[in-house]
Amino acid sequence: MIIESEDKKSYISIDFVEDELERIPSICVSVSVKNNDFCGRNDMVWVELNVLKGFICELERLDMNRKGIATLGSMSPEDLILTIEAYDLAGHLMLKYKLSKTMYCPDLLYSSIKGGFELDTSSFSNLVKEFNVFLQKYL
């Protein structure tokens, strides 16, 4: 799944890697970010299915009302924080993100990319549908 900026110069890509449906129902995704020419990637971001469901409900409300915020966080809080919010009365949408990756060399280090971009509001309903399709594969 690709979430693209309104100007088509930036995107976030989310791809399925694996799932864990027994202990804590969750999925592992690979997330890559390109914000103009600045890039980052983490191939092991775990998200609980209940958290993903809640995020999709928030997206649906945001799509209907064009006000509010939807937030998705990973199981490891440093790995991914993704928010989509209406930032004005006209209902324009901004995506903000923080993507981090833990590295060991020899100490624990975090490498992060943080930013945001405006979304194309005309295709937002399709994005919500894509998230629903993505979730239905694991229910």
Side-chain angles (χ1 to χ4, degrees):
M1 166 186 335
I2 295 177
I3 305 170
E4 201 169 41
S5 66
E6 186 172 48
D7 65 7
K8 311 292 188 221
K9 294 180 181 178
S10 303
Y11 68 84
I12 292 182
S13 174
I14 303 172
D15 297 301
F16 174 78
V17 175
E18 63 180 294
D19 58 23
E20 168 55 57
L21 301 176
E22 295 196 13
R23 292 184 294 162
I24 300 174
S26 53
I27 59 171
C28 180
V29 293
S30 172
V31 180
S32 58
V33 174
K34 180 177 182 277
N35 202 340
N36 290 307
D37 290 327
F38 199 62
C39 303
R41 182 181 183 99
N42 185 338
D43 291 324
M44 298 292 291
V45 176
W46 285 92
V47 177
E48 286 185 56
L49 287 179
N50 284 336
V51 172
L52 182 57
K53 285 181 203 174
F55 176 66
I56 292 170
C57 287
E58 291 172 347
L59 287 177
E60 289 169 341
R61 276 194 295 276
L62 189 56
D63 190 29
M64 285 180 13
N65 302 324
R66 290 292 184 208
K67 57 184 170 180
I69 187 168
T71 302
L72 178 65
S74 59
M75 293 172 75
S76 296
E78 292 296 320
D79 287 352
L80 177 67
I81 299 170
L82 177 70
T83 62
I84 299 175
E85 64 182 304
Y87 66 88
D88 62 14
L89 294 175
H92 293 106
L93 300 169
M94 175 70 71
L95 181 144
K96 296 179 183 176
Y97 62 85
K98 179 181 177 191
L99 180 66
S100 300
K101 185 174 185 175
T102 305
M103 297 178 289
Y104 304 93
C105 55
D107 296 326
L108 180 65
L109 299 171
Y110 291 102
S111 182
S112 298
I113 180 174
K114 182 178 178 179
F117 50 81
E118 190 171 356
L119 295 175
D120 178 4
T121 54
S122 66
S123 64
F124 187 68
S125 293
N126 290 333
L127 175 65
V128 176
K129 289 176 189 169
E130 280 187 65
F131 267 105
N132 270 307
V133 168
F134 192 76
L135 177 65
Q136 292 307 314
K137 295 177 186 176
Y138 310 104
L139 295 180

